[in-house]
Amino acid sequence: MIESGEIKVNGKVVTELGYQVNPNDTVKYGNRVLNKEKMVYLLLNKPKDFITTTEDPDERKTVMDLVKSACEQRIYPVGRLDRNTTGLLLLTNDGELAEKMAHPSNNVKKVYQVELDKPITKADYQKIIDGVELEDGKVTIDDLAIVSSDGTTLGLEIHLGRNRIVRRLFEHLGYEVIKLDRVVYAGLTKKDLPRGKWRFLNEKEVITLKYLI
């Protein structure tokens, strides 16, 4: 469109592909004024049985169904939660932030509440603390705590972003994960955010998020 002369900046046709547009410039495509898209940051407390994708060919419920009335902008999930995993999920149209948050080198912290089919043993607890070798490499966690008196519910802090990493970690040691809930994501919590509901991040949270990574 630029090369064919369809784009005007301040009333003049610009055909230079590397032309820098200033914030106060008026950019037009034909008679339509183009505006920079507003960045949107939305936090969802994902329920069970919703898949983390923008669309599904099998017409299963997706997280986009829960936020379809949230904004005009086209937002998408940052990373993913399994269909049966609940908890915090960030959706945005800020591609740069999404890429940074998803990249393993940025060590974005996540805290999960894990409910197991049986109490964890002292030996397995120590194995997780020390690091467990899976088929795609060693899993090193940041913190682990038993949060129920019967030893079946644990709090686990991790920054790795590998596929189904928490479930695979416990399955490797012979446990079935009954419930998995992400309760903290990059410093954001579920405070005042019921299951299935969403809210926009405030300005302070967005600044903190960008500062973290």
mmCIF file with all atom_site columns, all heavy atoms in Angstrom, residues 189-203:
data_model
loop_
_atom_site.group_PDB
_atom_site.id
_atom_site.type_symbol
_atom_site.label_atom_id
_atom_site.label_alt_id
_atom_site.label_comp_id
_atom_site.label_asym_id
_atom_site.label_entity_id
_atom_site.label_seq_id
_atom_site.pdbx_PDB_ins_code
_atom_site.Cartn_x
_atom_site.Cartn_y
_atom_site.Cartn_z
_atom_site.occupancy
_atom_site.B_iso_or_equiv
_atom_site.pdbx_formal_charge
_atom_site.auth_seq_id
_atom_site.auth_comp_id
_atom_site.auth_asym_id
_atom_site.auth_atom_id
_atom_site.pdbx_PDB_model_num
ATOM 1   N N   . THR A 1 189 ? -2.380  -11.196 41.268 1.00 0.00 ? 189 THR A N   1
ATOM 2   C CA  . THR A 1 189 ? -3.073  -12.203 42.068 1.00 0.00 ? 189 THR A CA  1
ATOM 3   C C   . THR A 1 189 ? -4.561  -12.245 41.716 1.00 0.00 ? 189 THR A C   1
ATOM 4   O O   . THR A 1 189 ? -5.060  -11.403 40.964 1.00 0.00 ? 189 THR A O   1
ATOM 5   C CB  . THR A 1 189 ? -2.943  -11.903 43.576 1.00 0.00 ? 189 THR A CB  1
ATOM 6   O OG1 . THR A 1 189 ? -3.749  -10.748 43.893 1.00 0.00 ? 189 THR A OG1 1
ATOM 7   C CG2 . THR A 1 189 ? -1.492  -11.624 43.961 1.00 0.00 ? 189 THR A CG2 1
ATOM 8   N N   . LYS A 1 190 ? -5.262  -13.218 42.317 1.00 0.00 ? 190 LYS A N   1
ATOM 9   C CA  . LYS A 1 190 ? -6.691  -13.402 42.048 1.00 0.00 ? 190 LYS A CA  1
ATOM 10  C C   . LYS A 1 190 ? -7.577  -12.591 42.994 1.00 0.00 ? 190 LYS A C   1
ATOM 11  O O   . LYS A 1 190 ? -8.786  -12.794 43.028 1.00 0.00 ? 190 LYS A O   1
ATOM 12  C CB  . LYS A 1 190 ? -7.069  -14.877 42.174 1.00 0.00 ? 190 LYS A CB  1
ATOM 13  C CG  . LYS A 1 190 ? -6.367  -15.772 41.184 1.00 0.00 ? 190 LYS A CG  1
ATOM 14  C CD  . LYS A 1 190 ? -7.065  -17.106 41.044 1.00 0.00 ? 190 LYS A CD  1
ATOM 15  C CE  . LYS A 1 190 ? -7.066  -17.857 42.354 1.00 0.00 ? 190 LYS A CE  1
ATOM 16  N NZ  . LYS A 1 190 ? -7.820  -19.117 42.258 1.00 0.00 ? 190 LYS A NZ  1
ATOM 17  N N   . LYS A 1 191 ? -6.984  -11.678 43.743 1.00 0.00 ? 191 LYS A N   1
ATOM 18  C CA  . LYS A 1 191 ? -7.735  -10.879 44.712 1.00 0.00 ? 191 LYS A CA  1
ATOM 19  C C   . LYS A 1 191 ? -8.922  -10.170 44.032 1.00 0.00 ? 191 LYS A C   1
ATOM 20  O O   . LYS A 1 191 ? -8.756  -9.478  43.023 1.00 0.00 ? 191 LYS A O   1
ATOM 21  C CB  . LYS A 1 191 ? -6.804  -9.844  45.352 1.00 0.00 ? 191 LYS A CB  1
ATOM 22  C CG  . LYS A 1 191 ? -7.430  -9.047  46.481 1.00 0.00 ? 191 LYS A CG  1
ATOM 23  C CD  . LYS A 1 191 ? -6.378  -8.153  47.132 1.00 0.00 ? 191 LYS A CD  1
ATOM 24  C CE  . LYS A 1 191 ? -6.956  -7.394  48.293 1.00 0.00 ? 191 LYS A CE  1
ATOM 25  N NZ  . LYS A 1 191 ? -7.761  -6.246  47.913 1.00 0.00 ? 191 LYS A NZ  1
ATOM 26  N N   . ASP A 1 192 ? -10.099 -10.376 44.588 1.00 0.00 ? 192 ASP A N   1
ATOM 27  C CA  . ASP A 1 192 ? -11.338 -9.756  44.085 1.00 0.00 ? 192 ASP A CA  1
ATOM 28  C C   . ASP A 1 192 ? -11.652 -10.125 42.631 1.00 0.00 ? 192 ASP A C   1
ATOM 29  O O   . ASP A 1 192 ? -12.301 -9.349  41.914 1.00 0.00 ? 192 ASP A O   1
ATOM 30  C CB  . ASP A 1 192 ? -11.285 -8.223  44.223 1.00 0.00 ? 192 ASP A CB  1
ATOM 31  C CG  . ASP A 1 192 ? -11.101 -7.779  45.664 1.00 0.00 ? 192 ASP A CG  1
ATOM 32  O OD1 . ASP A 1 192 ? -11.631 -8.459  46.555 1.00 0.00 ? 192 ASP A OD1 1
ATOM 33  O OD2 . ASP A 1 192 ? -10.416 -6.762  45.887 1.00 0.00 ? 192 ASP A OD2 1
ATOM 34  N N   . LEU A 1 193 ? -11.189 -11.291 42.198 1.00 0.00 ? 193 LEU A N   1
ATOM 35  C CA  . LEU A 1 193 ? -11.453 -11.726 40.823 1.00 0.00 ? 193 LEU A CA  1
ATOM 36  C C   . LEU A 1 193 ? -12.019 -13.149 40.845 1.00 0.00 ? 193 LEU A C   1
ATOM 37  O O   . LEU A 1 193 ? -11.267 -14.130 40.838 1.00 0.00 ? 193 LEU A O   1
ATOM 38  C CB  . LEU A 1 193 ? -10.165 -11.669 39.999 1.00 0.00 ? 193 LEU A CB  1
ATOM 39  C CG  . LEU A 1 193 ? -10.310 -11.835 38.476 1.00 0.00 ? 193 LEU A CG  1
ATOM 40  C CD1 . LEU A 1 193 ? -11.159 -10.723 37.882 1.00 0.00 ? 193 LEU A CD1 1
ATOM 41  C CD2 . LEU A 1 193 ? -8.945  -11.862 37.808 1.00 0.00 ? 193 LEU A CD2 1
ATOM 42  N N   . PRO A 1 194 ? -13.353 -13.288 40.884 1.00 0.00 ? 194 PRO A N   1
ATOM 43  C CA  . PRO A 1 194 ? -13.968 -14.619 40.953 1.00 0.00 ? 194 PRO A CA  1
ATOM 44  C C   . PRO A 1 194 ? -13.692 -15.436 39.694 1.00 0.00 ? 194 PRO A C   1
ATOM 45  O O   . PRO A 1 194 ? -13.376 -14.886 38.631 1.00 0.00 ? 194 PRO A O   1
ATOM 46  C CB  . PRO A 1 194 ? -15.473 -14.312 41.069 1.00 0.00 ? 194 PRO A CB  1
ATOM 47  C CG  . PRO A 1 194 ? -15.564 -12.863 41.446 1.00 0.00 ? 194 PRO A CG  1
ATOM 48  C CD  . PRO A 1 194 ? -14.346 -12.216 40.878 1.00 0.00 ? 194 PRO A CD  1
ATOM 49  N N   . ARG A 1 195 ? -13.818 -16.741 39.817 1.00 0.00 ? 195 ARG A N   1
ATOM 50  C CA  . ARG A 1 195 ? -13.614 -17.654 38.696 1.00 0.00 ? 195 ARG A CA  1
ATOM 51  C C   . ARG A 1 195 ? -14.530 -17.283 37.522 1.00 0.00 ? 195 ARG A C   1
ATOM 52  O O   . ARG A 1 195 ? -15.711 -17.032 37.695 1.00 0.00 ? 195 ARG A O   1
ATOM 53  C CB  . ARG A 1 195 ? -13.909 -19.086 39.135 1.00 0.00 ? 195 ARG A CB  1
ATOM 54  C CG  . ARG A 1 195 ? -13.603 -20.125 38.083 1.00 0.00 ? 195 ARG A CG  1
ATOM 55  C CD  . ARG A 1 195 ? -12.170 -20.593 38.114 1.00 0.00 ? 195 ARG A CD  1
ATOM 56  N NE  . ARG A 1 195 ? -11.878 -21.425 39.265 1.00 0.00 ? 195 ARG A NE  1
ATOM 57  C CZ  . ARG A 1 195 ? -10.813 -21.275 40.052 1.00 0.00 ? 195 ARG A CZ  1
ATOM 58  N NH1 . ARG A 1 195 ? -9.943  -20.310 39.815 1.00 0.00 ? 195 ARG A NH1 1
ATOM 59  N NH2 . ARG A 1 195 ? -10.594 -22.075 41.071 1.00 0.00 ? 195 ARG A NH2 1
ATOM 60  N N   . GLY A 1 196 ? -13.955 -17.215 36.329 1.00 0.00 ? 196 GLY A N   1
ATOM 61  C CA  . GLY A 1 196 ? -14.742 -16.899 35.142 1.00 0.00 ? 196 GLY A CA  1
ATOM 62  C C   . GLY A 1 196 ? -14.864 -15.414 34.857 1.00 0.00 ? 196 GLY A C   1
ATOM 63  O O   . GLY A 1 196 ? -15.388 -15.016 33.815 1.00 0.00 ? 196 GLY A O   1
ATOM 64  N N   . LYS A 1 197 ? -14.368 -14.575 35.769 1.00 0.00 ? 197 LYS A N   1
ATOM 65  C CA  . LYS A 1 197 ? -14.453 -13.121 35.593 1.00 0.00 ? 197 LYS A CA  1
ATOM 66  C C   . LYS A 1 197 ? -13.105 -12.553 35.151 1.00 0.00 ? 197 LYS A C   1
ATOM 67  O O   . LYS A 1 197 ? -12.071 -13.194 35.276 1.00 0.00 ? 197 LYS A O   1
ATOM 68  C CB  . LYS A 1 197 ? -14.887 -12.445 36.896 1.00 0.00 ? 197 LYS A CB  1
ATOM 69  C CG  . LYS A 1 197 ? -16.238 -12.919 37.424 1.00 0.00 ? 197 LYS A CG  1
ATOM 70  C CD  . LYS A 1 197 ? -17.355 -12.617 36.446 1.00 0.00 ? 197 LYS A CD  1
ATOM 71  C CE  . LYS A 1 197 ? -18.707 -13.054 37.007 1.00 0.00 ? 197 LYS A CE  1
ATOM 72  N NZ  . LYS A 1 197 ? -19.809 -12.788 36.040 1.00 0.00 ? 197 LYS A NZ  1
ATOM 73  N N   . TRP A 1 198 ? -13.131 -11.325 34.657 1.00 0.00 ? 198 TRP A N   1
ATOM 74  C CA  . TRP A 1 198 ? -11.926 -10.667 34.189 1.00 0.00 ? 198 TRP A CA  1
ATOM 75  C C   . TRP A 1 198 ? -11.940 -9.215  34.640 1.00 0.00 ? 198 TRP A C   1
ATOM 76  O O   . TRP A 1 198 ? -12.963 -8.682  35.035 1.00 0.00 ? 198 TRP A O   1
ATOM 77  C CB  . TRP A 1 198 ? -11.807 -10.731 32.660 1.00 0.00 ? 198 TRP A CB  1
ATOM 78  C CG  . TRP A 1 198 ? -13.002 -10.159 31.930 1.00 0.00 ? 198 TRP A CG  1
ATOM 79  C CD1 . TRP A 1 198 ? -14.096 -10.849 31.478 1.00 0.00 ? 198 TRP A CD1 1
ATOM 80  C CD2 . TRP A 1 198 ? -13.235 -8.784  31.600 1.00 0.00 ? 198 TRP A CD2 1
ATOM 81  N NE1 . TRP A 1 198 ? -14.986 -9.991  30.879 1.00 0.00 ? 198 TRP A NE1 1
ATOM 82  C CE2 . TRP A 1 198 ? -14.483 -8.714  30.950 1.00 0.00 ? 198 TRP A CE2 1
ATOM 83  C CE3 . TRP A 1 198 ? -12.515 -7.611  31.791 1.00 0.00 ? 198 TRP A CE3 1
ATOM 84  C CZ2 . TRP A 1 198 ? -15.028 -7.518  30.492 1.00 0.00 ? 198 TRP A CZ2 1
ATOM 85  C CZ3 . TRP A 1 198 ? -13.045 -6.409  31.344 1.00 0.00 ? 198 TRP A CZ3 1
ATOM 86  C CH2 . TRP A 1 198 ? -14.292 -6.382  30.695 1.00 0.00 ? 198 TRP A CH2 1
ATOM 87  N N   . ARG A 1 199 ? -10.777 -8.580  34.577 1.00 0.00 ? 199 ARG A N   1
ATOM 88  C CA  . ARG A 1 199 ? -10.668 -7.142  34.837 1.00 0.00 ? 199 ARG A CA  1
ATOM 89  C C   . ARG A 1 199 ? -9.486  -6.593  34.045 1.00 0.00 ? 199 ARG A C   1
ATOM 90  O O   . ARG A 1 199 ? -8.566  -7.330  33.685 1.00 0.00 ? 199 ARG A O   1
ATOM 91  C CB  . ARG A 1 199 ? -10.485 -6.869  36.330 1.00 0.00 ? 199 ARG A CB  1
ATOM 92  C CG  . ARG A 1 199 ? -9.149  -7.328  36.905 1.00 0.00 ? 199 ARG A CG  1
ATOM 93  C CD  . ARG A 1 199 ? -8.945  -6.818  38.329 1.00 0.00 ? 199 ARG A CD  1
ATOM 94  N NE  . ARG A 1 199 ? -7.685  -7.262  38.916 1.00 0.00 ? 199 ARG A NE  1
ATOM 95  C CZ  . ARG A 1 199 ? -6.512  -6.670  38.710 1.00 0.00 ? 199 ARG A CZ  1
ATOM 96  N NH1 . ARG A 1 199 ? -6.417  -5.626  37.907 1.00 0.00 ? 199 ARG A NH1 1
ATOM 97  N NH2 . ARG A 1 199 ? -5.411  -7.123  39.305 1.00 0.00 ? 199 ARG A NH2 1
ATOM 98  N N   . PHE A 1 200 ? -9.523  -5.294  33.775 1.00 0.00 ? 200 PHE A N   1
ATOM 99  C CA  . PHE A 1 200 ? -8.387  -4.638  33.131 1.00 0.00 ? 200 PHE A CA  1
ATOM 100 C C   . PHE A 1 200 ? -7.318  -4.347  34.179 1.00 0.00 ? 200 PHE A C   1
ATOM 101 O O   . PHE A 1 200 ? -7.642  -4.049  35.328 1.00 0.00 ? 200 PHE A O   1
ATOM 102 C CB  . PHE A 1 200 ? -8.818  -3.322  32.469 1.00 0.00 ? 200 PHE A CB  1
ATOM 103 C CG  . PHE A 1 200 ? -9.727  -3.505  31.291 1.00 0.00 ? 200 PHE A CG  1
ATOM 104 C CD1 . PHE A 1 200 ? -11.040 -3.073  31.330 1.00 0.00 ? 200 PHE A CD1 1
ATOM 105 C CD2 . PHE A 1 200 ? -9.264  -4.115  30.125 1.00 0.00 ? 200 PHE A CD2 1
ATOM 106 C CE1 . PHE A 1 200 ? -11.881 -3.242  30.249 1.00 0.00 ? 200 PHE A CE1 1
ATOM 107 C CE2 . PHE A 1 200 ? -10.097 -4.290  29.036 1.00 0.00 ? 200 PHE A CE2 1
ATOM 108 C CZ  . PHE A 1 200 ? -11.410 -3.856  29.093 1.00 0.00 ? 200 PHE A CZ  1
ATOM 109 N N   . LEU A 1 201 ? -6.061  -4.445  33.792 1.00 0.00 ? 201 LEU A N   1
ATOM 110 C CA  . LEU A 1 201 ? -4.984  -4.035  34.678 1.00 0.00 ? 201 LEU A CA  1
ATOM 111 C C   . LEU A 1 201 ? -5.007  -2.515  34.803 1.00 0.00 ? 201 LEU A C   1
ATOM 112 O O   . LEU A 1 201 ? -5.313  -1.813  33.830 1.00 0.00 ? 201 LEU A O   1
ATOM 113 C CB  . LEU A 1 201 ? -3.618  -4.469  34.136 1.00 0.00 ? 201 LEU A CB  1
ATOM 114 C CG  . LEU A 1 201 ? -3.335  -5.967  33.963 1.00 0.00 ? 201 LEU A CG  1
ATOM 115 C CD1 . LEU A 1 201 ? -1.851  -6.183  33.701 1.00 0.00 ? 201 LEU A CD1 1
ATOM 116 C CD2 . LEU A 1 201 ? -3.779  -6.781  35.165 1.00 0.00 ? 201 LEU A CD2 1
ATOM 117 N N   . ASN A 1 202 ? -4.670  -2.013  35.983 1.00 0.00 ? 202 ASN A N   1
ATOM 118 C CA  . ASN A 1 202 ? -4.568  -0.568  36.116 1.00 0.00 ? 202 ASN A CA  1
ATOM 119 C C   . ASN A 1 202 ? -3.178  -0.104  35.651 1.00 0.00 ? 202 ASN A C   1
ATOM 120 O O   . ASN A 1 202 ? -2.300  -0.919  35.385 1.00 0.00 ? 202 ASN A O   1
ATOM 121 C CB  . ASN A 1 202 ? -4.864  -0.111  37.559 1.00 0.00 ? 202 ASN A CB  1
ATOM 122 C CG  . ASN A 1 202 ? -3.919  -0.726  38.580 1.00 0.00 ? 202 ASN A CG  1
ATOM 123 O OD1 . ASN A 1 202 ? -2.706  -0.786  38.359 1.00 0.00 ? 202 ASN A OD1 1
ATOM 124 N ND2 . ASN A 1 202 ? -4.462  -1.182  39.701 1.00 0.00 ? 202 ASN A ND2 1
ATOM 125 N N   . GLU A 1 203 ? -3.014  1.188   35.558 1.00 0.00 ? 203 GLU A N   1
ATOM 126 C CA  . GLU A 1 203 ? -1.773  1.752   35.008 1.00 0.00 ? 203 GLU A CA  1
ATOM 127 C C   . GLU A 1 203 ? -0.551  1.316   35.818 1.00 0.00 ? 203 GLU A C   1
ATOM 128 O O   . GLU A 1 203 ? 0.492   0.966   35.256 1.00 0.00 ? 203 GLU A O   1
ATOM 129 C CB  . GLU A 1 203 ? -1.867  3.277   34.979 1.00 0.00 ? 203 GLU A CB  1
ATOM 130 C CG  . GLU A 1 203 ? -0.705  3.946   34.236 1.00 0.00 ? 203 GLU A CG  1
ATOM 131 C CD  . GLU A 1 203 ? -0.828  5.456   34.193 1.00 0.00 ? 203 GLU A CD  1
ATOM 132 O OE1 . GLU A 1 203 ? -1.797  6.002   34.764 1.00 0.00 ? 203 GLU A OE1 1
ATOM 133 O OE2 . GLU A 1 203 ? 0.042   6.096   33.588 1.00 0.00 ? 203 GLU A OE2 1
#
